[in-house]
Amino acid sequence: MPLPRQTDVLIIGAGAAGLMCAAVAGRRGRQVVVVDHANKVGKKILMSGGGRCNFTNLHTLPDNFLSDNPHFCKSALSRFTQWDFLALVQKHQIPYHEKKLGQLFCDNKAQDILNMLLAECADAKAAIYTHCQIEKITALSTTDLPLRYRVHTSLGNISCESLVVATGGLSIPTMGATGLGYEVATQFNLPLKPRSAGLVPFTLTPAQLAVFSSCVGNAIEVCVSCNDDKGNEKSFVENLLFTHRGLSGPAILQISSYWKPGQSIQVNLLPHVNLIEHLRMQQQQRPKVLLSTVMGELLTKNIAQVFCDLWDAQWKGNRPLNQYGIKDIQTIATQFQSWQLLPAGTEGYRTAEVTLGGVDTSCLSSKTLEANHQPGLYFIGEVVDVTGHLGGFNFQWAWASGNAAGTFC
Ligand code: FDA
């Protein structure tokens, strides 16, 4: 099917936000064309949530999002909530379950969510074109109104009244991520917030990796914290996983979105234990038992041994509990419960789930996602400076911002 020469709405990017926007705009009777350079649509939906797509979170609140303007996301999120998306999932009879912490996943496959979006687009008569490279975008003159933009593509040129940029972020370039959305923003003089990899594992130095080599593959529940760029402490209680490259697991991915290079993170390896009290009690009940044995019962044997060896010098060796004074016990508790760690870096966009930063929200309408001084140009989804926590929040932003633009474009 050849690309039409003109349309009401042209959406660049057939991912989560673009497909949602297409369905909503199409249902309003707008003629919608979606173009994507990839060979398949919705690739990130398909790979998300380990193939089961964590499509929303029951507890979605504006607090679950990072942005230079934390209020910006509120309008769109309140007009298309997690319950609205869930109603769509139920309408399509997609089986799902809550895994933990309000995170909703498909029982079967992420393909169910993509099929649902494609069915909604087909119903709304939105046309989707893959293998479509964007070559150039030009703003038309007022004499061409209502047409405002012409997009030159590998499949031909197409003019539109509304141009919606839904090209996502920079993470996982092998899945088709590009910086096109940022280039379009720059072309129209819209400011960008600095971008970096978010929800991403930390790397460690070779010396640190050697210390933790015997822990690789082990996961423990921790509380990890660091300060955000406004100096507020952020913390997450979830699993930390030791890997061949460093640290991963949900706690690490969450904190990585707040971390800045050169900053230490603080890890409480026993977030649910009063360690001073526990060690004092054990001293009385089992005075001859070794510190590493007691810690091994709380952590795993492996992990306890590694940390006991690491901090051995400060406690003057791994001794029976009755040989430690109260000062030693306090030092031990501080080490295990506020471990200060300086990550070497992150794994970057290669494995990051999201891109932090992006199109500055100060130049967009929070109601419509249209650029304030560039009529007919919209930005939705991850390309905007709104990034969710881990747990289905990024898709909820894609649905909500797609719905907001789709309602007005
Ligand atoms: P998205 O990336 O979905 O779509 C962008 C589209 O634009 C793509 O189809 C791309 O091909 C196209 N495009 C890019 N450049 C283009 C160009 N130059 N020309 C034409 N087309 C172009 N979130 C969540 O809430 N729950 C989860 O379970 C997960 N899991 C997850 C796993 C992994 C491995 C990753 C990498 C990410 C997640 N996420 C997630 C994050 C989530 O996938 C992401 O935030 C949304 O897909 C963003 O939706 P968008 O529509 O903005 O971009």
Side-chain angles (χ1 to χ4, degrees):
M1 201 173 42
L3 199 61
R5 291 180 65 85
Q6 70 178 64
T7 183
D8 296 336
V9 180
L10 178 67
I11 301 172
I12 306 178
L19 293 175
M20 175 56 88
C21 181
V24 174
R27 240 181 285 129
R28 284 170 47 231
R30 299 287 275 164
Q31 189 195 349
V32 179
V33 171
V34 188
V35 291
D36 200 299
H37 69 155
N39 57 348
K40 278 199 304 199
V41 301
K43 284 189 181 181
K44 281 203 185 156
I45 297 174
L46 294 179
M47 75 188 301
S48 68
R52 288 221 160 87
C53 186
N54 177 195
F55 54 81
T56 192
N57 193 297
L58 293 176
H59 311 307
T60 303
L61 287 172
D63 281 354
N64 298 114
F65 297 86
L66 293 87
S67 171
D68 196 51
N69 176 1
H71 304 293
F72 181 83
C73 62
K74 291 180 181 172
S75 171
L77 288 173
S78 69
R79 282 175 294 125
F80 191 84
T81 67
Q82 58 273 39
W83 309 112
D84 293 318
F85 192 77
L86 194 51
L88 202 56
V89 167
Q90 286 165 342
K91 180 180 120 188
H92 286 259
Q93 299 182 337
I94 296 174
Y96 67 91
H97 60 278
E98 179 182 349
K99 198 165 168 191
K100 58 172 184 173
L101 306 169
Q103 301 166 3
L104 299 190
F105 284 77
C106 295
D107 285 355
N108 300 324
K109 283 193 272 177
Q111 184 77 49
D112 288 351
I113 297 294
L114 182 56
N115 289 347
M116 176 188 87
L117 293 167
L118 292 176
E120 289 287 319
C121 285
D123 231 31
K125 303 203 169 30
I128 302 171
Y129 295 81
T130 54
H131 299 92
C132 182
Q133 313 294 329
I134 308 302
E135 289 159 1
K136 194 169 80 169
I137 297 174
T138 47
L140 299 174
S141 75
T142 46
T143 53
D144 294 306
L145 281 172
L147 296 174
R148 292 182 191 276
Y149 298 96
R150 180 163 300 132
V151 179
H152 303 243
T153 83
S154 55
L155 302 181
N157 300 344
I158 177 167
S159 303
C160 58
E161 280 182 48
S162 299
L163 178 61
V164 182
V165 179
T167 46
L170 297 168
S171 60
I172 326 266
T174 50
M175 281 291 134
T178 73
L180 180 74
Y182 312 118
E183 289 162 29
V184 177
T186 305
Q187 178 186 340
F188 291 101
N189 296 319
L190 307 183
L192 297 174
K193 287 289 167 193
R195 283 140 291 153
S196 59
L199 300 180
V200 62
F202 283 137
T203 53
L204 296 176
T205 62
Q208 288 170 318
L209 286 177
V211 170
F212 299 112
S213 61
S214 65
C215 301
V216 169
N218 290 340
I220 47 167
E221 195 181 42
V222 301
C223 175
V224 55
S225 32
C226 79
N227 283 350
D228 68 8
D229 48 12
K230 296 188 174 77
N232 302 313
E233 191 186 81
K234 296 287 166 188
S235 57
F236 296 91
V237 179
E238 286 200 59
N239 273 0
L240 171 153
L241 172 72
F242 292 90
T243 73
H244 287 291
R245 284 186 285 267
L247 300 174
S248 189
I252 293 300
L253 299 186
Q254 297 280 33
I255 209 70
S256 73
S257 294
Y258 291 95
W259 179 80
K260 295 277 175 298
Q263 192 181 12
S264 289
I265 57 167
Q266 188 168 303
V267 185
N268 181 345
L269 294 161
L270 292 161
H272 306 298
V273 177
N274 182 332
L275 191 55
I276 294 184
E277 224 169 69
H278 182 77
L279 290 177
R280 298 276 285 172
M281 201 143 71
Q282 295 297 309
Q283 268 185 323
Q284 283 165 14
Q285 291 169 1
R286 302 190 291 167
K288 298 267 185 269
V289 75
L290 287 174
L291 174 67
S292 59
T293 308
V294 177
M295 294 313 299
E297 291 161 1
L298 295 172
L299 297 159
T300 64
K301 205 173 159 207
N302 255 4
I303 294 175
Q305 194 57 56
V306 165
F307 282 100
C308 285
D309 291 346
L310 182 65
W311 296 321
D312 186 74
Q314 287 157 68
W315 310 326
K316 299 172 219 78
N318 181 24
R319 291 175 276 155
L321 285 186
N322 62 358
Q323 293 186 21
Y324 292 104
I326 180 64
K327 276 244 157 61
D328 297 324
I329 298 282
Q330 279 163 350
T331 308
I332 292 164
T334 305
Q335 293 284 26
F336 279 98
Q337 299 200 293
S338 22
W339 172 36
Q340 303 291 327
L341 175 76
L342 180 62
T346 74
E347 290 188 7
Y349 293 120
R350 192 179 58 80
T351 60
E353 275 200 17
V354 283
T355 302
L356 295 157
V359 178
D360 190 336
T361 58
S362 68
C363 66
L364 302 177
S365 155
S366 62
K367 185 173 168 194
T368 64
L369 280 296
E370 187 179 16
N372 293 328
H373 303 296
Q374 193 61 48
L377 181 63
Y378 297 75
F379 290 85
I380 56 173
E382 200 179 314
V383 73
V384 178
D385 172 31
V386 173
T387 307
H389 286 168
L390 188 77
F393 302 103
N394 283 296
F395 278 136
Q396 188 55 39
W397 170 247
W399 317 137
S401 58
N403 172 73
T407 308
F408 292 96
C409 65

